[in-house]
Amino acid sequence: MHVSSTALLTDEYELTMIRAALASGTAHRRSVFELFARRLPSGRRYGVVAGVGRALDAIERFRFGEPELAFLRERGVVDARTEDFLGDFRFTGSIWGYGEGDLYFPGSPLLTVRGTFAEAVLLETLLLSIYNYDSAVASAASRMTLMADDRPCIEMGARRANERAAVAAARAAYIAGFAATSDLEAGRTYGIPTTGTAAHSFTLLHDTEEQAFAAQLDTLGEDTTLLVDTYDIETAVRTAVRLTQGRLGAVRIDSGDLRTAAQDVRHLLDDLGATRTRIIVTSDLDEYQLAALSGAPVDGYGVGTALVTGSGAPTCSFVYKLVARAVADAPDAPLNPVAKQSEHKRTLGGRKYAVRRLDAKGIAEAELVGVGQRPDTDDHDRPLLRPLVDHGELVGREPLQAARDRHQAARAELPRDGYKMSRGEPVIPTFFLDEHGAPLANPYAG
């Protein structure tokens, strides 16, 4: 998916702030911004970080060319000074962040962005839009693959999302353990395995169900998946087995009581000698339905709507806040912590450093966040922040498989309560520590 520039994927107030800061002489003050969540979606026990790779790609293409500048001039968004600044813009700061696929909790500093105020604030909307959506999908996908256990999940939500979001959703789901996607652009862009066979319309196109099955088998071979619930499931299964002499790859059930239907179909397949034919179920599945199907004879799941909408939590409510800024424009001017003090949206000032405290068996016990200083660690603790951009150079790119592997490893660190689908609090607490290691009040508790 080719986008020449990402510079206008932003809110107007980012540019008006820069315009005013350039006028006041504060635009080039060194600053530190952080991206984090005050809380998890209601009842969730952990979240999943996704969108890191897409964010790095977007930062690389964050350039104001003549088409972008012309639009801003026509709308009166920029003056001459601001236009000159944007025309030469390249992000020259540094970014540290959680590795893609890792878990996060309330207050986790997912991103730390250091640079001038102008260049760091310019990335706010872009980073939030990517992280909020991708992490919402990955968090839902992780719960689904957890409930599916070793049975593969296929992402098939392209028809339920914006066409660009569908590609991002497939990527995020793959990081969290989905095996494949139906979206071809996701396959082309990110190398994700793709899959697909036929819809009910293909069966309805033919005079009989048998003709439809025969056409699909002639074209795609006996290892294909036949959709068996257009008319009568039992009749369809018998027809499918007869046409393939029991060698059919799989059948798909897309309606009704999936548990009962799967049990009935499994018995029928076995009675007919098609013991190796798999059963795939679809039909508005979410993690709770997957949990309910755990004992059913199901070999794989197709998940769409619930996945691409975050299964009830379509955003992670991440925020991007200024936590420190220089007292003057001089390069060696000290950075002072700054924080919001509003009653319901407080923030904690100062740059954060994070580690995950693990016990001797490698099970997570807490998120430790040092303010202004890295927390003291022991041999079991795992540092969470890694360099993503170093003085404008992208250094954090990695294969998608690395994020997928990281997610599996991070999820394996969870205490057993993290595997529950019942509503609950975050499975591990977040502790904030000052530069001397003393505990600080957690503004995101409760």
Side-chain angles (χ1 to χ4, degrees), residues 244-312:
T244 61
Q245 296 181 337
R247 296 187 297 268
L248 178 64
V251 296
R252 177 162 75 97
I253 307 169
D254 187 51
S255 59
D257 181 339
L258 297 178
R259 170 181 280 275
T260 300
Q263 291 171 338
D264 292 344
V265 168
R266 183 73 271 160
H267 290 314
L268 181 57
L269 287 170
D270 291 346
D271 288 344
L272 295 172
T275 57
R276 296 186 179 182
T277 298
R278 303 180 307 278
I279 299 175
I280 310 299
V281 297
T282 55
S283 186
D284 291 327
L285 297 175
D286 61 16
E287 62 266 47
Y288 301 104
Q289 290 167 299
L290 295 184
L293 289 167
S294 62
V298 174
D299 300 289
Y301 306 98
V303 189
T305 303
L307 177 64
V308 300
T309 57
S311 195

Side-chain angles (χ1 to χ4, degrees), residues 108 276 336:
S108 296
R276 296 186 179 182
N336 279 2

